């Protein structure tokens, strides 16, 4: 779906969590015409976006209190873009008393499936709606407004969230009921992690065998091994620039959640377990803050 510019005039949207992904996502909502009420744990990003015309709030509860949500204003929403399940649960607890019938809470981070389903039930008990809508594409897609968005929730809640998604993303899919978006994101993260590992090992093999990894990458581009990971992360491995887009620490968190979901679902995923071990080893050697493509460093540090 095409991103819509200017399609949110007259809407007030809360946005909580202004990290690497949250800042450009909030900017794209504002670009589409929404009035943003913002909150984040770190004051720096709040001050930065306040300087661009967004309105800061002192707490998640204040965000909810300042986003007008009568039942006939279906696009008023509170977007969460937080680091992990613990942070989502803490913010949701602060939001809960301030929620009113008609509020729409959209969690766009990667949150555990079980916790997501419990939060959705608690929010619905307030007469509000919860949509889990994790994203893929990293900071590049967040800045361009071309994120892939995978959503879970009721049909009505998804329809209410769609105009916001169209301002932030390009490929938008309603996967199913509450938690389904997070299941899709777990599957996405398994593919991303294993693909990073495959590209890292392939380029490491080239280097160890005395052939320029960049030339090998160029040679196999466009063939059956072509992928977004080879294109973007392969280049990061070749250049040695591991400025974080998606951090190693975040990849570890996501893989642990995927492993937990696999256990709960009664399935064994051995390659997932090995990938998690490799990323944990990378973090142990001090690279947890780097981009997850830094897995390449594991072979040559």
């Amino acid at each position: 779906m095409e991103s819509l510019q200017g399609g949110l005039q007259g809407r007030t949207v809360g946005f909580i969590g202004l990290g690497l992904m949250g800042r450009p996502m909030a900017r794209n909502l504002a670009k589409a015409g929404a009035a943003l009420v913002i909150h984040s744990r770190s004051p720096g990003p709040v001050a930065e976006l306040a300087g661009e015309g967004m309105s800061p709030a002192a707490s998640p509860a204040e965000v909810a209190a300042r986003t007008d949500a009568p039942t006939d204003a279906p696009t008023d929403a509170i977007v969460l873009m937080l680091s992990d399940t613990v942070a989502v649960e803490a913010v949701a607890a602060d939001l809960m008393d301030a929620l009113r019938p008609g509020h729409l809470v959209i969690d766009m981070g990667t949150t555990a499936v079980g916790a997501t389903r419990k939060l959705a039930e608690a929010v619905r008990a307030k007469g509000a709606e919860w949509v889990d809508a994790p994203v893929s594409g990293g900071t590049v897609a967040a800045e361009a407004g071309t994120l892939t968005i995978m959503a879970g929730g009721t049909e009505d809640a998804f329809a209410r969230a769609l105009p916001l998604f169209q301002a932030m993303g390009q490929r938008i899919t309603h996967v199913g009921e509450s938690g389904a978006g997070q299941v899709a994101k777990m599957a996405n993260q398994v593919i991303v992690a294993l693909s990073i590992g495959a590209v890292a090992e392939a380029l490491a093999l080239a280097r160890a065998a005395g052939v320029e990894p960049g030339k090998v990458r160029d040679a196999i581009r466009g063939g059956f091994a072509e992928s977004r990971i080879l294109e973007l992360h392969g280049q990061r491995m070749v250049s040695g620039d591991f400025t974080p887009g998606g951090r190693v620490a975040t990849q570890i968190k996501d893989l642990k959640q995927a492993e937990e979901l696999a256990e709960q679902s009664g399935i064994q995923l051995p390659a997932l377990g090995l990938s998690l071990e490799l990323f944990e080893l990378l973090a142990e050697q001090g690279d947890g803050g780097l981009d997850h493509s830094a897995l390449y460093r594991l072979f040559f540090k």
Side-chain angles (χ1 to χ4, degrees):
M1 294 185 181
E2 297 293 331
S3 294
L4 299 183
Q5 299 299 312
L8 298 175
Q9 293 95 340
R11 315 291 187 178
T12 301
V13 177
F15 203 106
I16 302 173
L18 301 171
L20 289 172
M21 296 289 289
R23 283 198 298 280
M25 291 166 69
R27 286 187 173 113
N28 282 327
L29 288 170
K31 190 184 297 183
L36 271 291
V37 178
I38 56 173
H39 175 76
S40 195
R41 183 170 52 188
S42 302
V46 174
E48 179 183 337
L49 294 188
E52 298 175 18
M54 300 183 201
S55 178
S59 68
E62 184 180 334
V63 171
R66 290 172 56 193
T67 50
D68 185 25
T71 55
D72 61 352
T75 56
D76 286 328
I78 302 165
V79 177
L80 312 182
M81 191 61 190
L82 302 165
S83 58
D84 54 32
T85 302
V86 172
V88 171
E89 290 175 328
V91 166
D94 192 53
L95 281 175
M96 208 60 72
D97 288 340
L99 290 180
R100 300 185 300 279
H103 261 133
L104 175 64
V105 183
I106 307 172
D107 177 20
M108 302 192 75
T110 304
T111 304
V113 175
T116 292
R117 289 172 174 159
K118 289 178 182 177
L119 288 167
E121 288 179 7
V123 166
R124 286 182 194 132
K126 290 280 192 177
E129 285 285 358
W130 181 282
V131 172
D132 50 291
V135 303
S136 182
T139 54
V140 172
E143 289 165 0
T146 58
L147 288 165
T148 294
I149 302 173
M150 47 212 92
T154 66
E155 291 281 357
D156 286 347
F158 174 74
R160 293 173 59 188
L162 185 57
L164 280 73
F165 294 156
Q166 290 173 320
M168 296 181 283
Q170 196 166 58
R171 186 176 182 86
I172 303 161
T173 305
H174 183 206
V175 185
E177 294 298 319
S178 294
Q182 296 295 352
V183 172
K185 182 59 186 290
M186 294 299 102
N188 180 85
Q189 293 306 81
V190 170
I191 293 170
V192 167
L194 297 184
S195 298
I196 288 174
V199 172
E201 290 195 17
L203 296 184
L205 176 63
R207 177 174 164 181
V211 178
E212 170 57 44
K215 293 293 187 182
V216 171
R217 174 178 168 274
D218 290 343
I220 61 179
R221 292 285 316 274
F224 207 50
E226 179 66 292
S227 70
R228 189 72 167 155
I229 298 294
L230 180 62
E231 176 190 359
L232 294 181
H233 288 339
Q235 178 57 39
R236 290 182 173 119
M237 294 172 194
V238 168
S239 68
D241 181 3
F242 300 113
T243 303
R247 298 181 192 274
V248 171
T250 302
Q251 186 72 69
I252 291 170
K253 180 265 295 183
D254 292 349
L255 290 180
K256 285 182 175 178
Q257 289 184 176
E259 191 172 61
E260 178 184 337
L261 180 61
E263 291 173 358
Q264 293 169 351
S265 303
I267 187 173
Q268 293 185 351
L269 301 177
L272 167 60
L274 176 58
S275 180
L276 176 56
E277 289 178 14
L278 293 174
F279 279 104
E280 288 179 326
L281 184 58
L282 185 65
E284 287 171 7
Q285 70 179 29
D287 290 338
L290 297 181
D291 187 86
H292 47 185
S293 59
L295 190 66
Y296 183 67
R297 287 165 59 90
L298 203 58
F299 304 101
F300 297 108
K301 185 144 184 182

